[in-house]
Amino acid sequence: MRRSSSRAVLYTGILGIGILAGLAGPALADPDLANNTTPTPGTDIMLELGAAARVAPAFPGADNYTLYPAPIIKLRFLKLPIFGTVADSSKNVGLGLYPAFNFEGERDAADHSELRGLRTVKWAIELGAGVRYTGDFVEAYAEVRRGFNGHHGFVGELGIDAVARPSDRLKLKLGPRLSFADSEYMSTYFGVSSGEATASGGRLSAYDAGGGFRDMGLQFGAEYAWSDRITLYGDAGYRRLVGDAADSPIVKRAGSENQFTAGLGLTYRFSWNVDGK
């Protein structure tokens, strides 16, 4: 099965490269609607739900790419009984917590001749949490996730973006990224056991991948408010594998240290009143 690594991060959503030209959408009744996510009185939940088409390496460290669909989920506003407002993205400045999700598809050597001899790594779900700071001209975040099924390690990411708003509809972001993983994750995707080395016919040497920094790179994005309910998203990024990930024979002999990603999608904003009033 081809890799299908997507991120649907509640509250933050995916970053975007936008459609920077030819976006002559319908006129907004309010010129500030692109940045206005304030719920109407009585609203308890405001969600943006949508989908994106993404291009990414076929497996961690691969030099070939695959196209796949990915969900987009953004929690804009949440009000709970007793607790009150627990999430509100209309607050443009401050700290916020969010749950984080990632999916790594199955890596099967039968689908990739360059991986001959390696065991199959089942699909994995990563669940965790993050903290984000949002300012007028800068955004930063840090998140940690734990894997289930295909791997049981911990992975995390740090990022900071410079933010520009050329118009009321368009928001641009650009900034560096740094990711890390523990030895459980690294050995699963970048390690090679002695048995696997033998099964590969000697093409891949035995390798014990330890935890540490996994990659570093740069991400560019934008989001465009087509209307008060429809938003366009996308992203384009470059990561370079470092440390034990870069030194893995899977990367040296069967892949590449250079990893590129891109995506484009849209969401529709929904609002609900829990008690129906």
Side-chain angles (χ1 to χ4, degrees):
M1 177 178 176
R2 290 183 175 178
R3 180 184 180 226
S4 182
S5 173
S6 65
R7 171 176 297 173
V9 180
L10 296 176
Y11 181 58
T12 58
I14 66 169
L15 296 175
I17 50 177
I19 310 173
L20 301 181
L23 287 179
L28 300 177
D30 182 341
D32 293 326
L33 279 177
N35 298 314
N36 180 16
T37 57
T38 302
T40 57
T43 297
D44 296 308
I45 303 173
M46 181 184 288
L47 275 176
E48 283 186 22
L49 301 177
R54 297 193 59 78
V55 176
F59 57 86
D63 64 355
N64 57 317
Y65 291 77
T66 185
L67 174 68
Y68 58 89
I72 305 174
I73 306 172
K74 293 173 67 104
L75 178 60
R76 288 294 192 179
F77 183 82
L78 177 62
K79 184 178 181 180
L80 298 175
I82 301 176
F83 297 98
T85 301
V86 297
D88 187 355
S89 65
S90 67
K91 306 299 184 183
N92 294 324
V93 177
L95 288 171
L97 298 175
Y98 62 90
F101 165 86
N102 190 53
F103 178 78
E104 289 284 358
E106 181 178 273
R107 189 191 72 184
D108 189 345
D111 296 331
H112 308 281
S113 59
E114 66 272 25
L115 300 180
R116 185 179 71 254
L118 295 184
R119 67 181 179 86
T120 295
V121 178
K122 297 179 180 179
W123 58 264
I125 291 177
E126 297 171 3
L127 302 175
V131 58
R132 173 177 292 275
Y133 171 78
T134 302
D136 290 330
F137 304 105
V138 66
E139 294 182 2
Y141 73 93
E143 68 180 52
V144 177
R145 307 180 302 273
R146 184 186 185 276
F148 297 89
N149 197 49
H151 80 86
H152 298 89
F154 285 89
V155 295
E157 184 169 290
L158 305 172
I160 185 169
D161 289 316
V163 179
R165 295 178 176 83
S167 72
D168 291 322
R169 297 188 185 195
L170 182 63
K171 178 180 179 180
L172 303 178
K173 297 181 180 181
L174 177 66
R177 298 290 186 271
L178 179 66
S179 71
F180 52 90
D182 67 4
S183 58
E184 174 71 22
Y185 174 94
M186 297 288 277
S187 62
T188 299
Y189 292 101
F190 298 103
V192 180
S193 68
S194 56
E196 289 175 318
T198 301
S200 74
R203 183 167 181 268
L204 301 176
S205 58
Y207 182 73
D208 182 17
F213 292 116
R214 183 183 63 181
D215 60 57
M216 58 180 63
L218 191 67
Q219 193 83 12
F220 170 71
E223 56 189 70
Y224 182 87
W226 183 268
S227 71
D228 61 337
R229 288 189 176 271
I230 298 175
T231 303
L232 301 175
Y233 293 93
D235 65 271
Y238 165 74
R239 306 292 180 93
R240 184 171 178 85
L241 296 174
V242 298
D244 281 13
D247 293 335
S248 168
I250 296 174
V251 175
K252 295 292 188 183
R253 299 295 303 274
S256 172
E257 297 175 355
N258 300 308
Q259 307 278 282
F260 298 90
T261 59
L264 186 65
L266 62 82
T267 62
Y268 188 87
R269 186 176 300 165
F270 296 88
S271 299
W272 292 276
N273 187 315
V274 175
D275 60 14
K277 294 179 179 180

